[in-house]
Amino acid sequence: MDSHDSKESSSDQTGVDHPPSFVPPSSRGAYDKNVTIEEYIHYANLTRAEEKIHLPNPDKSTGLVAQVLRRPSVQQSASAIATGGGHESPSANDEKSQRQASAEGRAVISADEWRDASRLMRTASWGAGFYLITTDILGPYGVGFALGTMGWGPGIVLYTVFGFMAGYSGYLLWKIYLGLDSYEFPLRNYGDLAFRIFGPIPRHCVNILQSIQLCLICGQVIIQNGQGISQASKFRLCYVVCILIFVIAGFIFGQIRTLRNYGLMSAVAVGLNLMVIFITMGVMAHSPPNYKISVLGSAGSANDDGSITPDAQGNYPPIRHYNGLPNPNSLLGSINGLMQGVFAYGGAQIFIEIMAEMRRPRDFLKSMIIAQLFIWIVYLSYGCYVYYWQGQYAFQVSYLGLSVYGWSVACNMMAVISGLIAAGLYGNIGIKVLYNNILMDLLHAPALSTRAGKIVFAAIVPIYWSTAFIIAAAIPDYFGFVSVIAAFCIVQFSYSFPPILHLGYTIQKNAARAAMKEGFDPVTGQTTRLDGGVRRYIRGFFADRWYVNAWHVVHAGGALAVAGLGAYAAIQGMIDAFKIPQVTSFTCTSPLNLNA
């Protein structure tokens, strides 16, 4: 007899007898506002204890590649859907249960079935997590340009600070995830965190902002690689066709539905990025910068200090380096360069999705620390090298600034492949956020695990990529476009939201007084709170390590200040860009073709 039909006491998988009023997690809606944070924490503690017992540490001798290539056993072979739209079940019976759950609000699934289904959704290893994080974040091609807008000292310091703070934000998200995720109530995306801590309205705001960010980043990658294809063709191929080639490839590549299947491809993307880095370093040391396109997007053009203006004979100024700000009288270029640093570490928006697919979410911290350390070393090593050899001529996409055509083509083609994988990753998560939070919630679309859901997903992919292309192509200022994304979106997910979420989680968790029998009772399914309002929040703030909470207030405030400063610089830069007649991406003329 199903629990929702029973008029007598029932028991769960632990054998605990429950009163008739008890509603098991498997019978609750995905976003039931009646589930308290105390209940989420209770089941999360049970899940973490079970993982520690039944999922021992993997063989430490297993390397990253083996971790990525390793497939789980048949019983654990269900592929995860990172944003909660279901999973691809290993049998027809499991898929049937998923369809019934979608149609009947999960009520037909027993507690054991629901927990088993949740376990099957977690298959990724820590090695796969490392490659997914690195694929998402690793893009050092703008670091030399950023150093050129800020100078040696400020540039190195700020990239180090932002890298450390991005890692700290990832640590905060990891702590919250372990504290709120469970087999009974699995966490799937960033918006789920906001819902469980602050409620439905913050959840919708986070989901909307994340959708915008992922769509814009996908568009940014499309434009960047369209320019690369255009340059490789020596501008003989119509520019909009170059972009459409990349977009059409995205239509095909975007049909991959699970992050688990991106593991091996992510490793390929990381390898290709490293190849581009090594090639550009070798070429830059033995050839001059691409002086002709420096006016279109070099550090000197952003600083507006005349350092790239040729003399009457057409000779360009020598390469310059600055220990401090290149042009203290004009901070817009330096602030936009700062936003490049923010953009460089903007991977936290998919950390929850990655953790949701891991068999051992505890291992995410290992994946993130290794990935962030690797990324920071690559960023600064490569950025300093580019700035040393190209100075104020360092282009915003470094491999486009190579003056040797053959090597430029080779780098462009490798970057196109790795960019396609990265854009596919952004599009994959972006589509799922939209699908699960708009189509399923509001329009009652079928679960992604069903045949109908897979058809709808396949149909959305070209629409999503086309939308990303249209938005990005309509903006002529690529540099300004990146700054807008960084200021309005990336700062929030990587630096503002994590301390705010952790603050809300900690206050509510610590406000419960066990001595007075406050908290969640797993027998009755009821949560007891003896007070509420401001008094309860103040008690939670000072209950345990109040100085950490105070630091998070300062942390969030500083991040919001950086976002406001970056937004001002980005908007002003966009206003200045639109004052000058420029081609958009809807024509045959490439923005890199100065002879057009």
Side-chain angles (χ1 to χ4, degrees), residues 524-582:
T524 64
Q526 301 299 315
T527 297
T528 302
R529 294 176 184 172
L530 300 180
D531 62 357
V534 177
R535 179 181 178 182
R536 185 176 183 85
Y537 296 145
I538 292 176
R539 182 175 70 249
F541 185 93
F542 290 100
D544 181 34
R545 297 196 301 170
W546 63 268
Y547 49 88
V548 175
N549 294 331
W551 155 242
H552 288 158
V553 172
V554 175
H555 180 187
L560 291 172
V562 170
L565 192 63
Y568 164 74
I571 293 172
Q572 188 60 50
M574 294 289 285
I575 291 174
D576 294 340
F578 275 98
K579 289 179 180 178
I580 306 172
Q582 300 185 49

Side-chain angles (χ1 to χ4, degrees), residues 64 190 192 314 320 529:
L64 283 179
Y190 217 120
D192 285 0
R320 301 177 188 174
R529 294 176 184 172

Side-chain angles (χ1 to χ4, degrees), residues 137 217 220 338-347 379 482 485-486 490:
I137 299 177
I217 293 179
Q220 172 257 328
L338 175 67
M339 288 298 102
Q340 292 281 331
V342 172
F343 190 88
Y345 293 106
Y379 274 175
V482 170
I485 300 173
I490 290 180

Side-chain angles (χ1 to χ4, degrees), residues 83 207 210-211 353 429-438:
T83 48
N207 284 332
Q210 186 182 25
S211 298
E353 282 83 352
I429 296 175
I431 292 172
K432 289 174 184 174
V433 170
L434 289 172
Y435 191 95
N436 289 286
N437 295 286
I438 295 180

